[in-house]
Amino acid sequence: MLKQKGEYIHPSALLCIVTATNYKKFAKITGLQLETVNERQKQRVKKGIYHIQHVNNFHNRLKKWMERFQGVATKYLDNYLYWFRWLDKEKNLAFEKRVEQMLVLACQKSNYSTVEILRSA
């Protein structure tokens, strides 16, 4: 079931993709603005600002990070993704500060609260 626009996707979000029909349909269903980059024609950037390198870079970092777990159960996938998001978001903090934040978050009343905080970040 596809969630309504705004529940998971910010209303002002822009979808920048490599030309693919399924993404075009998704953009239409969700009402997202769409920009396509055609890699087959060696197009890397469109209009000087639209490219998919940030997505490719993020995907590569996530894939490399997930490899260490040698697969995860689907029911826990959200937890792993939020964990990665938190680590990625705080990557510029000093190690000691990251450890301090992790300990504070771990001491909250419930894990559900921690997940909700990460979701809203």
Side-chain angles (χ1 to χ4, degrees), residues 72-108:
V72 297
T74 303
K75 69 180 185 177
Y76 299 122
L77 182 59
D78 277 356
N79 295 331
Y80 283 91
L81 294 175
Y82 291 124
W83 182 13
F84 174 78
R85 182 177 176 193
W86 182 81
L87 289 172
D88 194 59
K89 182 180 172 204
E90 304 298 339
K91 66 186 171 199
N92 294 327
L93 288 180
F95 177 77
E96 293 80 15
K97 190 68 176 172
R98 287 171 65 182
V99 169
E100 176 186 323
Q101 283 189 356
M102 187 178 292
L103 289 171
V104 168
L105 289 171
C107 293
Q108 288 185 341

Side-chain angles (χ1 to χ4, degrees), residues 2 35 47 57 94:
L2 186 61
E35 290 290 339
K47 298 180 184 176
N57 183 283

